[in-house]
Amino acid sequence: MAGQEDPVQREIHQDWANREYIEVTTSSIKKIADFLNSFDMSCRSRLATLNEKLTALERRIEYIEARVTKGETLT
Amino acid sequence: MPLVKRSIEPRHLCHTVLPRGIKNELECVTNVSLANVIRQLSSLSKYAEDLFGELFNEAHSFSFRVNSLQERVDRLSISVTQLDPKEEELSLQDITMRKAFRSSTIQDQQLFSRQSLPIPLQETFDLCEQPPPLNILTPYRDDGKEGLKFYTNPSYFFDLWREKMLQDTEDKRKEKRKQKVRGNDRTLETEKVPRAPHDRKKEWQKLALGAELAEDNSEEALKEREANGSATYHDRSGAPMYLEGMDGPFSLAALPYSQMNELLNRPGDRMYTRPHDPPPLPPMHPLGDIKPPSMISSSSGFSDSRPQSPAQMHGFNSNTPPPPPPPLPPPPPPLPSMSSSGPRGTPPPPIPPLPVQQQTPAIPPPPAPLQIAPGVLHPAPPPVAPPLHLSSPARLQQILDKGPPPHQSDGTVLPPPPPPPLPLPGARISSPCPPGPPPVPSFLSGAVGSPASHSSGKKHSASLPPISDARSVLLEAIRKGIQLRKVEEQREQEAAKHARVGNDVATILSRRIAVEYSDSEDESEFDEGDWME
């Protein structure tokens, strides 16, 4: 019986070890995926804020240009 | 429901069927799971690369914008230091002579089209079943459309909207043109102030007549106060009501007109107590009052006003001789230029010279029948059918108003006249491609004879029915000749327009809004390149 148990037990132990290894790997994959998602979201929100500021700046510059530049005379 | 943008591919690590004949199943499962883990890692790396690529592209575009902004700021700072307050030119010429500032801002458009779909979603979409390959049949179609468009067309609604917008811009433009011409003929309508002195004169006259008419005085004063005070109210209610009631070329889109209509409709009968004064009459004229004109036996021509310039001109000419001569000289000179500009309308006497001149320039256009400026006329062929349909009710309305006038609103005008106008559109539409010249010479001879009868017919005499029949026949034939040219020109215009406009939502909308709200006369000369980004 002990002889039978050993190989089976060893196999089962080995199996458990493999599964734990696989589990660790997949949970790290999930963590990486989570990190990528949150990085994407935060990056997009920062870029959107930047976009807003850029647009506001552009409009102000348009206005100032309109005020300052003398138009060409229509021939 | 949230749409999954990217998914790591092998979702289940060990949900696979194990092959048979394996001794160590646990090892097998482990190995399969490890292999799937590796595949998951590869899809994760693809996901990450795609993600960073999108972020990078956005940031890159921002860097371009920031750089251009930096350059503009530098240029501005230089030009500001060069500004000299003493150099300010205050000449009025500058206002008109200088080019207007054209903003170069880009508007975001077509955000959710097929082209802007992110790549991972496009890949997901490609996994779906394709539609049937109906485009194979496209070479065999007669009308040149793609076969697949009948099964599924992603741009269907946008095309529909674009057509509608373009059509609306055209309609608004033509309304504006009509109003402009109407405004040229009757400038008094827009000026409320000059009417006031006449009102007071009237009041004084009535006071002089006697105390019995003092009531009318108070009513008229009330009406005037109403006119002045409630003008803004009429703005809101009068304009929309009027616009909704009448469509197409008939809608008096100009607010002053609708205001005037409301003003005149409110007092009702009171307006008709003073038709003796010709100048105040033209303002009342175009407002389409079909209120009980019981007092208007002599001035029936005024009550017959409807929102159509030809009919108005008829009544106009019958009652106010001074106005017709001024329009007479302008039409003959603009005629050669206007003859190529397509849309012509309904007035029967002016029309005969028009096609004649277009086809045989040697024949001098008889200026006498030309009592209406060409710009007044109705524009497009589809609206020609309703104007034709409604112009004869306009004419027949004159007949109706002469008799016992029913209390009719504009909407109920149409039911009594429909049987007579029916043969007219039918006769016109049934002839597909009538040759222009043959009908024209025949009608030329008829036109020579008819001006005399038309000029007499314009005075609202009892001989209206026979003259209107002659007019209508002439009208039809002339329109047939004119329609051919109109349709060709329209087709060319539309083709050019479609080529120009493309899918630029902002352009279309801005043009439409400009036409709707602008009062300027040079709208048709807008440089489209300025609007397109």
Side-chain angles (χ1 to χ4, degrees):
Chain A
M1 276 301 209
Q4 271 184 0
E5 279 176 4
D6 271 345
V8 174
Q9 246 188 8
R10 251 179 268 134
E11 272 191 34
I12 292 173
H13 277 309
Q14 189 61 42
D15 184 55
W16 275 107
N18 294 341
R19 283 179 189 262
E20 192 194 339
Y21 175 70
I22 289 172
E23 185 59 37
V24 164
T25 321
T26 46
S27 58
S28 336
I29 290 179
K30 286 175 194 154
K31 279 188 202 162
I32 296 176
D34 273 342
F35 164 75
L36 282 175
N37 282 338
S38 54
F39 177 79
D40 185 34
M41 286 300 119
S42 78
C43 221
R44 280 189 199 273
S45 82
R46 285 171 203 265
L47 283 174
T49 318
L50 194 59
N51 189 16
E52 249 185 84
K53 290 184 184 171
L54 270 180
T55 324
L57 270 180
E58 277 171 352
R59 282 169 58 189
R60 282 156 72 181
I61 288 199
E62 287 277 335
Y63 173 73
I64 296 176
E65 278 176 356
R67 283 293 296 258
V68 163
T69 58
K70 288 187 186 171
E72 308 158 15
T73 29
L74 292 165
T75 49
Chain B
M1 181 195 120
L3 198 59
V4 174
K5 194 168 173 187
R6 302 176 187 91
S7 66
I8 308 283
E9 241 328 275
R11 286 201 61 198
H12 299 289
L13 285 180
C14 33
H15 287 199
T16 50
V17 180
L18 285 179
R20 293 197 179 183
I22 290 185
K23 288 179 188 172
N24 197 346
E25 286 182 358
L26 293 172
E27 248 184 46
C28 181
V29 167
T30 310
N31 291 337
V32 166
S33 312
L34 283 169
N36 281 336
V37 161
I38 295 174
R39 291 194 190 102
Q40 280 189 346
L41 278 170
S42 80
S43 68
L44 184 69
S45 73
K46 185 167 163 249
Y47 166 14
E49 190 256 346
D50 188 45
L51 197 84
F52 288 120
E54 282 181 10
L55 292 174
F56 171 78
N57 286 338
E58 271 197 60
H60 200 53
S61 69
F62 287 172
S63 78
F64 284 144
R65 282 167 69 180
V66 163
N67 284 337
S68 69
L69 263 180
Q70 177 71 45
E71 285 173 21
R72 282 163 83 176
V73 166
D74 291 339
R75 260 184 265 144
L76 262 183
S77 63
I78 294 171
S79 63
V80 160
T81 53
Q82 285 173 352
L83 261 186
D84 191 1
K86 291 174 194 167
E87 258 182 33
E88 265 182 46
E89 303 171 34
L90 295 169
S91 62
L92 284 173
Q93 282 177 0
D94 267 3
I95 298 169
T96 48
M97 290 288 286
R98 300 267 180 206
K99 251 198 224 174
F101 178 79
R102 288 275 186 233
S103 146
S104 60
T105 44
I106 299 171
Q107 289 170 327
D108 281 343
Q109 301 182 57
Q110 300 269 341
L111 290 172
F112 295 102
S113 66
R114 186 61 69 197
Q115 288 81 25
S116 64
L117 196 63
I119 298 174
L121 285 177
Q122 183 68 44
E123 289 172 2
T124 314
F125 180 73
D126 289 335
L127 289 175
C128 304
E129 201 178 313
Q130 299 281 330
L134 292 171
N135 272 338
I136 303 172
L137 299 171
T138 311
Y140 304 108
R141 287 196 70 85
D142 287 332
D143 53 4
K145 294 187 196 159
E146 287 180 29
L148 198 60
K149 295 278 180 191
F150 292 92
Y151 180 80
T152 166
N153 187 3
S155 59
Y156 172 73
F157 292 105
F158 178 72
D159 290 338
L160 211 64
W161 176 85
R162 181 178 60 182
E163 288 302 320
K164 182 170 180 295
M165 285 295 128
L166 289 174
Q167 192 57 44
D168 284 351
T169 7
E170 281 306 309
D171 293 343
K172 297 267 179 207
R173 255 189 217 157
K174 276 139 193 170
E175 280 172 23
K176 294 269 176 189
R177 270 186 231 144
K178 262 198 312 177
Q179 284 157 22
K180 247 190 289 171
V181 180
R182 249 187 269 144
N184 291 341
D185 295 337
R186 281 168 232 122
T187 51
L188 286 173
E189 298 178 62
T190 52
E191 305 173 35
K192 290 183 196 170
V193 174
R195 288 185 60 204
H198 290 288
D199 295 348
R200 281 182 211 124
K201 251 193 216 170
K202 283 283 151 197
E203 285 174 359
W204 296 332
Q205 284 171 11
K206 284 191 176 132
L207 266 176
L209 283 172
E212 28 182 64
L213 297 171
E215 287 177 4
D216 289 26
N217 269 339
S218 62
E219 286 175 356
E220 288 195 7
L222 235 177
K223 177 192 61 71
E224 275 174 43
R225 260 178 262 131
E226 233 185 73
N228 296 332
S230 53
T232 51
Y233 171 73
H234 290 135
D235 252 351
R236 309 280 149 69
S237 65
M241 274 160 50
Y242 208 85
L243 283 173
E244 279 156 23
M246 309 165 56
D247 222 4
F250 297 97
S251 63
L252 295 184
L255 285 177
Y257 291 84
S258 56
Q259 276 184 28
M260 300 296 287
N261 189 31
E262 280 302 297
L263 293 173
L264 294 171
N265 276 338
R266 288 203 158 207
D269 300 344
R270 283 176 244 131
M271 287 309 300
Y272 299 97
T273 56
R274 37 191 197 93
H276 313 294
D277 242 357
L281 264 177
M284 295 203 285
H285 219 261
L287 302 180
D289 283 345
I290 317 206
K291 294 284 174 173
S294 47
M295 319 208 204
I296 311 178
S297 53
S298 59
S299 55
S300 57
F302 304 142
S303 70
D304 304 346
S305 60
R306 60 211 44 77
Q308 244 205 346
S309 40
Q312 291 162 2
M313 288 306 294
H314 292 318
F316 213 96
N317 298 330
S318 66
N319 294 296
T320 57
L328 275 180
L335 187 60
S337 57
M338 294 292 277
S339 63
S340 59
S341 65
R344 292 289 171 267
T346 65
I351 296 295
L354 253 174
V356 170
Q357 205 188 18
Q358 286 168 357
Q359 297 173 6
T360 54
I363 303 175
L370 254 184
Q371 306 211 7
I372 302 173
V376 171
L377 314 176
H378 301 290
V384 166
L388 174 56
H389 186 83
L390 290 166
S391 66
S392 34
R395 261 179 276 120
L396 293 165
Q397 180 62 21
Q398 300 168 7
I399 308 169
L400 282 179
D401 277 353
K402 292 198 68 194
H407 290 252
Q408 283 175 346
S409 63
D410 287 349
T412 59
V413 167
L414 295 179
L422 275 176
L424 302 177
R428 185 175 66 79
I429 295 164
S430 60
S431 59
C433 300
V440 168
S442 63
F443 283 106
L444 173 59
S445 54
V448 173
S450 52
S453 60
H454 285 313
S455 54
S456 64
K458 270 172 213 146
K459 321 204 167 171
H460 291 266
S461 54
S463 61
L464 262 173
I467 292 176
S468 66
D469 285 344
R471 268 189 234 153
S472 58
V473 168
L474 241 181
L475 251 179
E476 286 170 54
I478 289 152
R479 271 209 206 89
K480 282 179 212 162
I482 294 166
Q483 249 203 339
L484 291 175
R485 256 162 275 113
K486 227 188 301 183
V487 165
E488 285 168 18
E489 284 162 19
Q490 263 237 333
R491 268 190 222 138
E492 286 165 26
Q493 276 176 30
E494 278 168 30
K497 209 173 288 173
H498 282 294
R500 266 183 270 146
V501 172
N503 280 353
D504 204 355
V505 172
T507 312
I508 299 173
L509 266 180
S510 59
R511 226 184 288 151
R512 173 158 191 247
I513 291 171
V515 169
E516 209 170 306
Y517 290 113
S518 75
D519 288 332
S520 64
E521 293 192 0
D522 58 349
E523 4 168 284
S524 51
E525 293 137 33
F526 265 151
D527 186 9
E528 287 191 358
D530 293 337
W531 290 103
M532 306 273 272
E533 296 302 345

